[in-house]
Every structure is written in C-alpha cells, then in structure tokens.
C-alpha cells in the first residue's frame, strides 16, 4: 500500500497515473484526490487522529491500496501505522515555481509579472517557500506542542519512506530504498538510464538571466531544504 504526496508541479500527475495502474484508487477521485458525492475534495489531511483512524479503516475496508493528497500533508506517522509506504517527489524549487507560474499564465489564471506572482501568493503552491510552508503546516497540525521544534528537513526525512528528487527532468531516488519502489514512479529502464523523461515533464519557456537570478534569491529557503534532502538521495 502506498501513500503518495503530490507536490504541485512536481511530476505528480504522471506519478499518479503510473501508480494507479498498479494499485487501487477509490472510484471517486480527481487526479488521485478523493472527492465526496458532492464533488468536494475530502480533506483528510486536516483530520485529527480519531477522524483519520476512522477514515483509513473505511478506506482499507473498501479494498483501496493507493492514497493520495495534493492540497495538504496528513498525519504521516498515523498513515504509516496502517502499513502504508509514504512517498513523494520534490522538484528543484526554482524549476517548480517557474513551472507553476508558466502554468497559471498559460491557463489564464494569472496575468501579472513573475515578481508580483512570487511576492503576492494567493495559494500555497505559488509560495517561494512552498516546501517549508507545507512542512510547517503539517507539524503544527499533527505534532504535539512539545515536538513542534522539529525542522522541515527532519520532518521530510522522518515522515517519508521515499523521497524522489526531480531536477532538469531527471529523477533520483532515496538511499533508503524499499520494496515500495519496485513499481517505481517511471519505467525502470528510464530511471536506470537517467532518461530526461521529456514526455512526462511538460516543457516550459526558458528563463531569462534576470528571472533565474530573481528565483534563486526568492527561493533561498526552499533551495536550502532541497539541497539538504538531496544529500540523502543517490542517482541510479
């Protein structure tokens, strides 16, 4: 059984498609995100322990083996206690934010400059500190008060069994590899050959020098977190 956390614009949709071909998702979902009979997203990442226990028992009793969330991180320790392997993909922060900006512009969800997009985020995934923010939110929701001093890096490394990094179209998987990746996120031959996986990563316009510098400066906290996580990964 797998819990996959889908960070926005980090090849999550491709991963959901692949994993759902191997495992069982609930019938009612949108890109892996469970929905109720009114087509509202089931926000189980906001559940307390009692409610999440009840949710997971019903989820498993229905024969499901793949659990996915995109809009918030649930209580990973409780999810793991039910036998789930927890997996996520973390994309290089500048690439992720640039991809998100281009996606919103191309879909006419945003019309302003990159500078204003970064400085005035309207949703978490447009934040320059997206990974840090999501980790802090999860810590404040799911950890006892006396344990909330844990860092985002410690949270990621303890909460996820597998962290795959994505940079320049190349996936790298974690050193603490387990059987969860026997049905890897992409075809095995592609991973071992370090394929660019162009068909799975939507191309975005190239950054100008000034845009690249701006992203480098603005994403400093997430870049530091990403680079620290990379120390625990290895290319195959």
């Amino acid at each position: 059984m797998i819990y996959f956390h889908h960070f926005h614009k980090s090849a999550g949709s491709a991963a959901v498609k692949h994993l759902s071909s191997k495992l069982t998702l609930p019938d009612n979902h949108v890109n892996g995100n469970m929905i109720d009979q009114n087509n509202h997203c089931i926000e189980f990442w906001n559940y307390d322990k009692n409610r999440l226990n009840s949710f997971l028992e019903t989820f498993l009793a229905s024969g499901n083996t793949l659990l996915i969330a995109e809009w918030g991180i649930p209580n990973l320790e409780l999810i793991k206690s039910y036998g789930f392997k927890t997996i996520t993909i973390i994309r290089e922060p500048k690439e992720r934010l640039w991809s998100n900006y281009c996606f919103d512009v191309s879909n006419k969800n945003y019309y302003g400059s990159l500078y204003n997009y970064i400085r005035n985020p309207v949703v978490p995934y447009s934040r320059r500190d997206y990974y840090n923010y999501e980790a802090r939110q999860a810590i404040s929701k799911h950890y006892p008060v006396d344990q909330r001093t844990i860092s985002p890096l410690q949270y990621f490394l303890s909460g996820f069994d597998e962290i795959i990094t994505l940079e320049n179209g190349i996936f790298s998987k974690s050193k603490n590899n387990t059987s969860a990746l026997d049905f890897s996120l992409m075809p095995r031959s592609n991973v071992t050959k370090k394929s660019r996986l162009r068909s799975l990563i939507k191309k975005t316009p190239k950054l100008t020098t000034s845009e690249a510098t701006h992203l480098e400066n603005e994403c400093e906290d997430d870049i530091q977190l990403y680079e620290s996580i990379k120390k625990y990964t290895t290319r195959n």
Side-chain angles (χ1 to χ4, degrees):
M1 297 186 298
I2 296 293
Y3 168 76
F4 175 70
H5 191 76
H6 179 174
F7 283 108
H8 210 63
K9 303 310 293 179
S10 299
S13 295
V16 169
K17 182 178 180 180
H18 181 76
L19 289 173
S20 62
S21 72
K22 306 291 184 180
L23 299 169
T24 304
L25 271 172
D27 291 334
N28 296 324
H29 71 90
V30 176
N31 199 25
N33 296 290
M34 293 178 62
I35 57 174
D36 61 22
Q37 59 186 2
N38 297 313
N39 292 325
H40 296 147
C41 194
I42 298 175
E43 300 180 1
F44 65 91
W45 50 89
N46 289 325
Y47 290 177
D48 62 20
K49 286 186 176 181
N50 289 336
R51 193 175 180 190
L52 185 56
N53 272 318
S54 178
F55 167 81
L56 290 171
E57 288 168 5
T58 301
F59 180 89
L60 294 174
S62 299
N64 301 304
T65 55
L66 177 59
L67 179 62
I68 293 168
E70 183 175 0
W71 311 114
I73 306 176
N75 187 326
L76 296 178
E77 294 305 317
L78 183 54
I79 286 174
K80 289 198 288 187
S81 74
Y82 277 80
F84 285 90
K85 295 293 184 181
T86 54
I87 302 176
T88 193
I89 301 174
I90 302 237
R91 188 175 182 181
E92 197 285 323
K94 300 188 301 298
E95 290 183 9
R96 193 208 67 79
L97 188 53
W98 174 245
S99 177
N100 215 122
Y101 171 71
C102 292
F103 178 83
D104 282 344
V105 170
S106 65
N107 285 281
K108 300 184 181 345
N109 295 323
Y110 187 78
Y111 296 92
S113 67
L114 175 64
Y115 178 86
N116 288 330
Y117 184 82
I118 294 173
R119 284 292 173 169
N120 302 287
V122 294
V123 288
Y125 55 76
S126 62
R127 294 178 64 103
R128 53 186 167 169
D129 63 343
Y130 176 50
Y131 298 132
N132 279 279
Y133 173 82
E134 289 293 290
R136 290 193 299 267
Q137 289 292 104
I139 292 167
S140 67
K141 289 178 185 176
H142 308 307
Y143 276 61
V145 174
D146 61 349
Q147 295 179 23
R148 291 178 186 170
T149 56
I150 185 174
S151 70
L153 175 62
Q154 291 171 315
Y155 173 78
F156 273 106
L157 295 178
S158 64
F160 289 102
D161 297 310
E162 301 294 336
I163 300 176
I164 296 111
T165 57
L166 171 60
E167 189 170 349
N168 295 321
I170 299 175
F171 292 91
S172 304
K173 66 183 182 181
S174 63
K175 286 181 179 177
N176 60 333
N177 182 32
T178 69
S179 60
L181 284 179
D182 283 351
F183 42 86
S184 178
L185 295 173
M186 303 303 156
R188 190 71 178 171
S189 59
N190 285 350
V191 175
T192 55
K193 293 178 181 177
K194 300 183 183 179
S195 167
R196 294 272 174 183
L197 302 172
R198 291 187 178 89
S199 63
L200 297 173
I201 306 299
K202 184 177 180 180
K203 289 188 176 181
T204 55
K206 288 185 177 181
L207 281 165
T208 65
T209 301
S210 61
E211 287 170 335
T213 301
H214 184 57
L215 281 171
E216 183 83 33
N217 294 331
E218 293 290 346
C219 296
E220 181 179 2
D221 289 345
D222 264 10
I223 290 171
Q224 289 180 356
L225 176 59
Y226 174 80
E227 291 299 328
S228 295
I229 289 172
K230 277 180 64 178
K231 292 179 181 178
Y232 296 87
T233 65
T234 181
R235 297 194 187 280
N236 289 293

